[in-house]
Amino acid sequence: MLCAVCCSTDLAWEPSSRRGTIYSWATVWRPPTPEFVVPYVVVIVELDEGWHLLTNLIACDPSDARVGAEVEIVFHDRGDLTLPYARLVNR
Ligand SMILES: [Zn+2]
């Protein structure tokens, strides 16, 4: 991973509010492999701290995705991995 501003690889972990807004999104209709269930929504979330996170928008209809919609990041255990996902919220 790289810094999005200067391409530095000198990165560090920082705490986050896990809150932000949808910066951009796309609905995937054609699965890259048969294991993917479509449609699903890929989003870039702009977190309140200013960082961006590429993830999936879950627990909503794909037509609910909107730039600027408020989301929270939730974590789901996927066996060996714990992955972040975005979920719409009303603040
Ligand atoms: Zn940088």
Side-chain angles (χ1 to χ4, degrees), residues 1-90:
M1 294 202 297
L2 302 172
C3 171
V5 176
C6 68
C7 295
S8 170
T9 57
D10 185 20
L11 305 177
W13 292 99
E14 297 283 345
S16 169
S17 66
R18 298 184 299 115
R19 294 291 186 122
T21 57
I22 295 176
Y23 177 83
S24 184
W25 62 273
T27 300
V28 177
W29 294 96
R30 184 177 301 176
T33 66
E35 293 78 20
F36 284 81
V37 178
V38 293
Y40 61 90
V41 180
V42 177
V43 291
I44 298 174
V45 174
E46 183 172 36
L47 290 157
D48 288 353
E49 293 83 5
W51 310 313
H52 291 84
L53 174 69
L54 177 67
T55 185
N56 286 18
L57 183 66
I58 61 168
C60 70
D61 189 275
S63 65
D64 293 336
R66 296 278 185 278
V67 169
E70 296 178 350
V71 297
E72 67 177 345
I73 304 302
V74 295
F75 293 90
H76 288 196
D77 189 8
R78 300 288 187 206
D80 293 344
L81 294 172
T82 300
L83 297 174
Y85 295 92
R87 187 169 61 193
L88 293 170
V89 296
N90 295 315

